[in-house]
Amino acid sequence: MKRYDFRAIEKKWQERWARERTFRTLGPGDPGFDASRPKYYVLDMFPYPSGAGLHVGHPLGYIATDIVARYKRMRGHNVLHPMGFDAFGLPAEQYAIEHGVHPRVTTEKNMETMRRQLRALGLGYDWDREIATIDVRYYKWTQLIFLRMYDSWYDADADRARPIADLERLLEKGERLAGPEGVAIPGGARTPSGEAPRPWASLSRKEQEAFVDAQRLAYLAEVPVNWCPALGTVLANEEVTPEGRSERGNHPVYKRPLKQWMLRITAYARRLLDDLDLVDWPEPIKMMQRNWIGRSEGAMVRFAVAGTGEAIEVYTTRPDTIFGATYMVLAPEHPLVEKIAAPDRAAEVRSYREAAARRSDVERQADAREKSGVFIGARAVNPATGKEIPIWIADYVLMGYGTGAIMAVPAHDERDFAFAKEFGLPIRPVVLPSPEWLNAQRTTREAYLRDPAALDAVYSGEGEGVGSSNAEVSLDGLRTDRAKEAIVSWLERKAIGAAKAQFKLRDWLFSRQRYWGEPFPLLHGNGGRVRAAGEGDLPVVLPEMEDFRPAVSGDPETPPKPSLARAPEEWRIVTIDGERWEREHNTMPQWAGSCWYYLRFIDPKNDDRLVDPEKERYWMSPGGVDLYLGGVEHAVLHLLYARFWHKLLYDLGCLSTKEPFGRLFNQGYIQAYAYTDDRGVYVDAARVVEEKDGTFTFEGKPVSRAYGKMGKSLKNAVTPDELVAEYGCDSFRLHEMYMGPIEVSKAWSTHEIVGMHRFLLRIWRNFFDEKTGALLVREERTPEDLLRLLHRTIRTVTDDLENLRFNTAIAALIELNNALVGRGGLPRAVAEPLVLMLAPMAPHFCEELWEALGGEGSVAAAPWPACDERYLVCDEVEIVVQVMGKLRGKISVPADAREEIVRERAAADPGVQRHLEGKTIRKVIFVPGRLINFVAS
RNA sequence: GCGAGAGUGGCGGAACCGGCAGACGCGCUGGAUUUAGGAUCCAGUGAGGAGACUCGUGGGGGUUCGAGUCCCCCCUCUCGCACCA
């Protein structure tokens, strides 16, 4: 072959890989499977088959994992490297609506486009394992997992999920009791509410059913949910931005109480938090999950409402400040407000509550600093001081966290302080500030204790208790942590409080009113009864519908109308034993299918179980997926949900590991310039022209330049297709990997690809005479210096690939190749390892060279070159000579030269002599093999 | 406001444990080839200086024989969280 004809080469090898099924992965049970090899499971985050196809930002991660997969295979691993499509969900449905076609049609077409683009990049996936969440053979198992959740409860004492049948048996035998807050154990601690659990037999059949239903991990509940009328569906907390808008489409979201299906992810809060220690993930991602789960340590305390039988439960992280609780605040929505508000305050209370209900989260956010609220005319008794304190309602207390009520300690909490100052409530210090803090506030201990309100600042730190004692307990002089212990044990003794860990994490709202999702395997009967479909009745197939459009609206008062409510009756209505049942109308959210797809890749065609246990053990044990690569945008959504499902399946005995993804890696974004017109609307960046004066125009009109993540929304996408056509996909792959570290975001620059293309051309010329086409590789003795460079390169490249440092691995290979330029022929002992090391990154190119070298089979199956340590040590080394820490010369000495010899030789160097002239050497620093430094004066 | 990370040539980025700053690539300059452009190839390329040398890793200080790297203070940028009791 004369010139590097990448078109012919890439076509040839892609066809051969497909024909010979080069990347087919064998697992336990497959003929020819070699169980003695170690496994390596490398996975890309499940892509969404979008209508726009791939842009150059998408393959960044795919190329990286492909390189790792190919490298690990050459290192002798059995590699699982599959690909599939997360094809249910809102965007797919939106796209279908926009194009007036059924989502199945558009989705299939998009998948085909993506498959073609991925193949064109030479990605070595095992396409025999391809899965799509919309396939009935796949979502049957998604539905089965849901059934398992529905049929499970969380045993807090065993700290794991168990089948509902176990609960019923335990309740009947009296080994568990039906408590007001859930399942209780006999003789267990009294709950803070003080209500005693009831014996099972004393409950009516209906009460028993209701109790059991309330324990299920998938349960129906009426709770305030995020209703997005513009999308026509409710959304999970994770899908709503901090501004109170939908993550998708940026539409307004309203809180509405609606009856919806929930998944009890909160039962797993502690394990989801603690088990982050088991995985090798980027620290920021762990941090984000920890933040989202939001554990805090504190206590529940009951405050009696004076003159009534009612009590207010509060949660506090600072029980040690209870003596400073001078008033209480309930969230405006708190159910107790109606019961205890004084009649003469009713009008004011009602108007405040209505105003609060009308205010969106965005508005509450906007004026977070200004405190508002009203006194409701009732008083509570501070159990520590015995004094009556006023009860207020205020929207700075949120119904969604803790109990929706607080004890306010204005002396030691900023929010309470601001509120107390606003409304003239008493501020009573009970913790001594540190001397440093008092100094910074230019005050003294005495002045502070006399009037803490005189300052603008609040002391919310830790310190010794002061003024905190009653007849039974004293916190005076105790440090905060000791004070907490003392007061909690007192509260527990008095049965008015208990220590408790609290989580920010809420249960997962799991139903959507859209069409394009997995139907729930559930049936609704008369009188609100619910029954699950039998496992044998799965799959519940999504019905074909002419009009699948969601009922969207701009009015937040519109009730949700699920699309499946309009499904044909033969789908909706099921008759069992003469009784009519109606199928659940909601569908599952987009995240459902991606919660467990990594398990299905292990055994994608199994119609009898979701995954074969032997195969699961082989590919998942011990650390789960060995490398999971994707963007940070899934930090809390997908990654938290998937971990939750995984733990549940683990509890039910389906899986062998506690965590799904042992090692996670985030790729950075590809960013690019984007352009907006005078209305601020993005215009197609590809058609923007740069004028001579440096300004930019679109269709003749000036536009301004912005910068951001490449994609559809900024209209600045560049597709890989043209680049691959012009330079070949091997150049493209190298270029994407060479741009910088995989984990950092970087700017796209199309023209820089020529660098990598030239690199390949340069290798080609080292291998072939371009005039004659003759191979220039010879069976000759390799010079010593070249061997040393080669083995240094092997070590560098191996080390870099292990650590996903593709940019420096490529740089090392360029250096090696540059050393071969102009030699006129190269020894086989260098040519072969060079081809092998480059093969994971430029696979087609290297297959061609490997074939020309007479290599056996595909280069993908060839062994990785070994580094010979003997060539890493040199006899002669260059030593840097410094005078007073500045470089003054270099000398070459034997590697094992002793200090005296080096010193003598270094001092003889003319450059060094010049700088030592007239000075006395006071000290000599000698680092063997590296440097010698004369300290002189 | 709180937390995390990052600031290195014209640009993307290298630099193991504190030991030659700027590997490698783009761009640029010069040359070759070409009718020409493009593409390709060869050489050079941190700044200042004729030179010996000097200065250079956001700014300031420190530790050290020696600091991009370690410590303290400050500035800028990116990301995450933000009434969570």
Side-chain angles (χ1 to χ4, degrees):
Chain A
M1 194 161 313
K2 289 193 175 179
R3 278 182 36 252
Y4 169 40
D5 182 354
F6 59 82
R7 260 173 277 260
I9 291 171
E10 288 172 9
K11 184 164 180 288
K12 168 181 163 186
W13 290 100
Q14 282 177 14
E15 280 171 6
R16 193 173 297 183
W17 292 336
R19 194 168 62 241
E20 293 174 2
R21 296 167 86 193
T22 308
F23 302 107
R24 191 161 61 114
T25 305
L26 300 179
D30 293 326
F33 169 67
D34 179 359
S36 68
R37 289 173 174 239
K39 67 97 182 183
Y40 198 82
Y41 188 175
V42 47
L43 185 65
D44 297 296
M45 281 189 188
F46 219 17
Y48 218 86
S50 102
L54 293 182
H55 63 66
V56 295
H58 294 116
L60 196 70
Y62 305 153
I63 294 168
T65 51
D66 191 54
I67 291 168
V68 172
R70 289 171 182 268
Y71 164 72
K72 288 286 177 182
R73 208 175 282 119
M74 291 174 81
R75 293 295 302 259
H77 289 71
N78 284 322
V79 173
L80 181 57
H81 185 219
M83 183 44 97
F85 302 98
D86 185 16
F88 268 137
L90 242 136
E93 193 178 318
Q94 295 288 78
Y95 181 81
I97 292 166
E98 279 161 32
H99 291 75
V101 193
H102 193 277
R104 183 172 305 282
V105 177
T106 55
T107 309
E108 292 284 356
K109 201 175 123 245
N110 294 347
M111 278 160 54
E112 189 46 49
T113 306
M114 244 178 111
R115 227 177 267 131
R116 182 181 53 72
Q117 286 184 306
L118 293 174
R119 279 181 197 270
L121 294 172
L123 302 170
Y125 292 116
D126 178 1
W127 286 105
D128 289 352
R129 289 175 185 262
E130 180 188 331
I131 53 178
T133 50
I134 56 169
D135 287 345
V136 177
R137 281 177 69 190
Y138 180 86
Y139 72 69
K140 169 186 173 179
W141 300 104
T142 311
Q143 290 173 334
L144 179 91
I145 296 170
F146 178 84
L147 277 189
R148 289 280 158 79
M149 289 192 195
Y150 181 77
D151 266 326
S152 302
W153 63 295
Y154 202 86
D155 184 345
D157 300 295
D159 204 15
R160 65 181 179 91
R162 301 174 68 178
I164 253 325
D166 286 7
L167 174 63
E168 287 168 334
R169 207 175 47 245
L170 289 165
L171 286 165
E172 272 157 30
K173 283 166 54 186
E175 290 174 26
R176 291 289 194 285
L177 301 170
E181 270 123 43
V183 180
I185 53 165
R190 293 260 298 283
T191 58
S193 68
E195 276 178 68
R198 295 168 63 190
W200 189 240
S202 74
L203 271 65
S204 71
R205 182 90 199 104
K206 221 171 162 167
E207 283 175 316
Q208 289 183 344
E209 273 177 22
F211 181 82
V212 168
D213 279 349
Q215 306 311 314
R216 295 178 187 275
L217 292 184
Y219 63 98
L220 202 51
E222 169 132 355
V223 288
V225 299
N226 307 297
W227 165 236
C228 180
L231 290 173
T233 185
V234 297
L235 297 168
N237 291 341
E238 290 81 357
E239 294 170 301
V240 180
T241 64
E243 292 79 40
R245 302 182 81 89
S246 65
E247 189 106 70
R248 284 261 173 219
N250 203 33
H251 303 293
V253 170
Y254 305 87
K255 282 271 184 212
R256 287 282 170 280
L258 290 169
K259 204 167 194 186
Q260 296 290 327
W261 283 98
M262 310 288 291
L263 298 186
R264 202 179 304 280
I265 189 171
T266 51
Y268 284 87
R270 192 194 55 76
R271 285 163 65 188
L272 287 169
L273 193 70
D274 292 351
D275 288 356
L276 284 171
D277 295 339
L278 303 179
V279 294
D280 176 13
W281 285 17
E283 205 46 48
I285 299 283
K286 288 190 179 185
M287 215 50 227
M288 282 158 80
Q289 291 221 348
R290 287 195 190 108
N291 263 327
W292 190 262
I293 298 167
R295 183 190 172 98
S296 63
E297 299 286 348
M300 300 290 280
V301 187
R302 208 149 36 95
F303 283 64
V305 180
T308 69
E310 303 291 343
I312 299 171
E313 286 242 51
V314 300
Y315 175 71
T316 176
T317 53
R318 291 296 298 272
D320 60 302
T321 63
I322 190 167
F323 286 89
T326 53
Y327 65 101
M328 300 194 82
V329 186
L330 303 182
E333 309 92 315
H334 199 289
L336 213 52
V337 175
E338 280 154 38
K339 291 191 198 167
I340 60 175
D344 61 320
R345 311 286 308 166
E348 223 178 315
V349 167
R350 189 178 341 107
S351 82
Y352 186 79
R353 295 182 89 190
E354 279 167 8
R358 242 179 291 117
R359 268 149 55 96
S360 66
D361 287 354
V362 198
E363 288 165 321
R364 281 199 184 190
Q365 193 88 19
D367 47 30
R369 262 143 293 278
E370 293 156 38
K371 295 282 181 284
S372 70
V374 289
F375 174 53
I376 66 166
R379 288 171 188 281
V381 179
N382 181 326
T385 60
K387 286 192 185 133
E388 286 196 1
I389 55 176
I391 303 171
W392 288 61
I393 54 173
D395 67 0
Y396 83 92
V397 172
L398 310 171
M399 196 59 220
Y401 188 74
T403 61
I406 60 157
M407 63 174 209
V409 184
H412 304 293
D413 180 283
E414 276 187 48
R415 299 151 298 177
D416 298 344
F417 184 75
F419 191 83
K421 276 192 133 179
E422 176 78 34
F423 295 101
L425 291 156
I427 299 171
R428 183 162 182 262
V430 290
V431 178
L432 276 181
S434 61
E436 297 81 42
W437 188 85
L438 290 168
N439 276 341
Q441 298 304 319
R442 297 160 186 281
T443 188
T444 61
R445 190 167 143 163
E446 289 68 32
Y448 173 78
L449 291 177
R450 207 179 312 118
D451 184 16
L455 302 175
D456 286 327
V458 187
Y459 187 73
S460 55
E462 305 200 336
E464 279 182 15
V466 64
S468 295
S469 65
N470 61 27
E472 295 169 13
V473 64
S474 172
L475 309 181
D476 293 343
L478 295 183
R479 298 286 314 172
T480 298
D481 48 346
R482 291 276 300 110
K484 281 182 182 174
E485 285 169 26
I487 194 71
V488 167
S489 80
W490 179 75
L491 290 166
E492 283 176 348
R493 260 200 322 280
K494 303 276 285 182
I496 48 175
K500 194 175 179 213
Q502 182 81 24
F503 296 92
K504 265 200 296 190
L505 184 71
R506 308 283 82 194
D507 274 342
W508 178 11
L509 173 67
F510 196 64
S511 40
R512 300 289 182 275
Q513 288 72 49
R514 303 286 292 228
Y515 168 73
W516 194 234
E518 299 87 348
F520 282 87
L522 292 168
L523 299 166
H524 296 266
N526 293 328
R529 279 186 307 148
V530 175
R531 73 179 274 171
E535 289 191 11
D537 299 332
L538 299 183
V540 176
V541 179
L542 185 67
E544 284 305 317
M545 284 171 66
E546 282 284 311
D547 182 15
F548 54 85
R549 258 165 249 264
V552 298
S553 159
D555 178 9
E557 299 307 323
T558 331
K561 293 184 197 122
S563 299
L564 289 182
R566 305 192 310 266
E569 200 171 299
E570 56 267 32
W571 182 83
R572 269 176 26 235
I573 306 298
V574 181
T575 308
I576 302 168
D577 301 330
E579 201 181 330
R580 257 173 75 100
W581 295 83
E582 173 126 13
R583 287 199 191 278
E584 168 73 37
H585 294 163
N586 288 311
T587 51
M588 297 187 199
Q590 187 196 327
W591 313 102
S594 60
C595 274
W596 73 283
Y597 74 107
Y598 58 94
L599 296 170
R600 190 63 179 172
F601 276 136
I602 291 168
D603 196 9
K605 299 205 166 72
N606 193 334
D607 284 326
D608 301 320
R609 27 197 349 166
L610 68 91
V611 58
D612 177 85
E614 190 195 345
K615 294 179 182 172
E616 187 275 331
R617 255 195 320 277
Y618 179 75
W619 288 111
M620 293 297 285
S621 294
V625 173
D626 298 277
L627 177 64
Y628 192 31
L629 200 140
V632 270
E633 66 271 22
H634 292 113
V636 280
L637 286 155
H638 159 63
L639 288 170
L640 193 67
Y641 295 154
R643 292 180 63 221
F644 162 45
W645 281 38
H646 190 93
K647 287 183 182 303
L648 179 112
L649 291 170
Y650 172 78
D651 284 355
L652 298 179
C654 306
L655 302 178
S656 60
T657 68
K658 289 183 179 175
E659 283 287 329
F661 314 117
R663 183 182 180 203
L664 175 75
F665 212 86
N666 290 119
Q667 92 230 22
Y669 297 125
I670 296 276
Q671 317 210 77
Y673 287 115
Y675 302 87
T676 50
D677 62 17
D678 51 5
R679 296 166 301 164
V681 177
Y682 285 101
V683 300
D684 183 5
R687 289 167 53 210
V688 168
V689 184
E690 180 167 7
E691 302 295 330
K692 282 185 209 80
D693 60 359
T695 62
F696 299 90
T697 59
F698 175 76
E699 293 175 342
K701 290 184 212 116
V703 288
S704 42
R705 191 162 81 162
Y707 181 68
K709 184 186 168 190
M710 183 177 283
K712 212 167 60 178
S713 51
L714 302 192
K715 293 199 182 158
N716 59 353
V718 177
T719 67
D721 303 27
E722 296 141 54
L723 281 161
V724 168
E726 196 173 342
Y727 296 97
C729 85
D730 283 331
S731 294
F732 178 76
R733 290 168 60 112
L734 284 167
H735 174 54
E736 290 234 327
M737 291 302 103
Y738 193 66
M739 286 170 64
I742 191 79
E743 69 275 15
V744 305
S745 292
K746 46 216 158 231
W748 178 255
S749 58
T750 294
H751 68 270
E752 285 183 4
I753 193 175
V754 300
M756 289 303 106
H757 193 63
R758 286 177 197 152
F759 168 47
L760 292 182
L761 289 171
R762 212 148 51 231
I763 299 182
W764 191 267
R765 281 196 306 275
N766 284 334
F767 275 72
F768 298 106
D769 183 321
E770 285 195 294
K771 290 199 186 73
T772 64
L775 186 67
L776 301 174
V777 175
R778 309 219 180 90
E779 314 286 340
E780 61 178 33
R781 241 188 68 95
T782 312
E784 198 70 11
D785 57 334
L786 197 52
L787 272 178
R788 271 203 288 274
L789 175 62
L790 171 69
H791 286 275
R792 235 179 21 241
T793 307
I794 294 174
R795 197 188 52 179
T796 306
V797 173
T798 305
D799 199 47
D800 284 348
L801 291 191
E802 288 288 346
N803 293 292
L804 310 181
R805 290 190 301 248
F806 307 107
N807 55 332
T808 46
I810 294 167
L813 290 170
I814 294 173
E815 258 183 288
L816 175 61
N817 186 59
N818 285 350
L820 303 174
V821 170
R823 288 185 82 255
L826 68 162
R828 176 171 285 271
V830 178
E832 281 190 0
L834 172 61
V835 169
L836 291 170
M837 284 191 283
L838 185 64
M841 294 168 258
H844 313 80
F845 182 86
C846 292
E847 287 277 24
E848 190 67 24
L849 293 185
W850 186 244
E851 190 182 55
L853 289 173
E856 255 183 61
S858 167
V859 75
W864 187 254
C867 168
D868 190 335
E869 300 278 338
R870 277 178 309 170
Y871 294 107
L872 298 181
V873 294
C874 306
D875 313 336
E876 283 276 304
V877 287
E878 194 175 62
I879 296 258
V880 170
V881 186
Q882 296 181 335
V883 179
M884 296 300 286
K886 282 190 195 297
L887 175 71
R888 298 300 175 189
K890 290 175 191 178
I891 53 167
S892 196
V893 297
D896 54 357
R898 281 178 303 122
E899 181 173 346
E900 296 85 88
I901 305 197
V902 177
R903 191 169 165 169
E904 201 177 300
R905 296 270 301 278
D909 185 274
V912 177
Q913 270 182 344
R914 205 166 43 239
H915 288 275
L916 284 176
E917 221 162 287
K919 288 179 180 156
T920 354
I921 296 170
R922 289 191 311 168
K923 199 172 166 188
V924 178
I925 312 283
F926 178 61
V927 184
R930 296 203 93 120
L931 130 168
I932 186 158
N933 184 13
F934 294 99
V935 185
S937 60

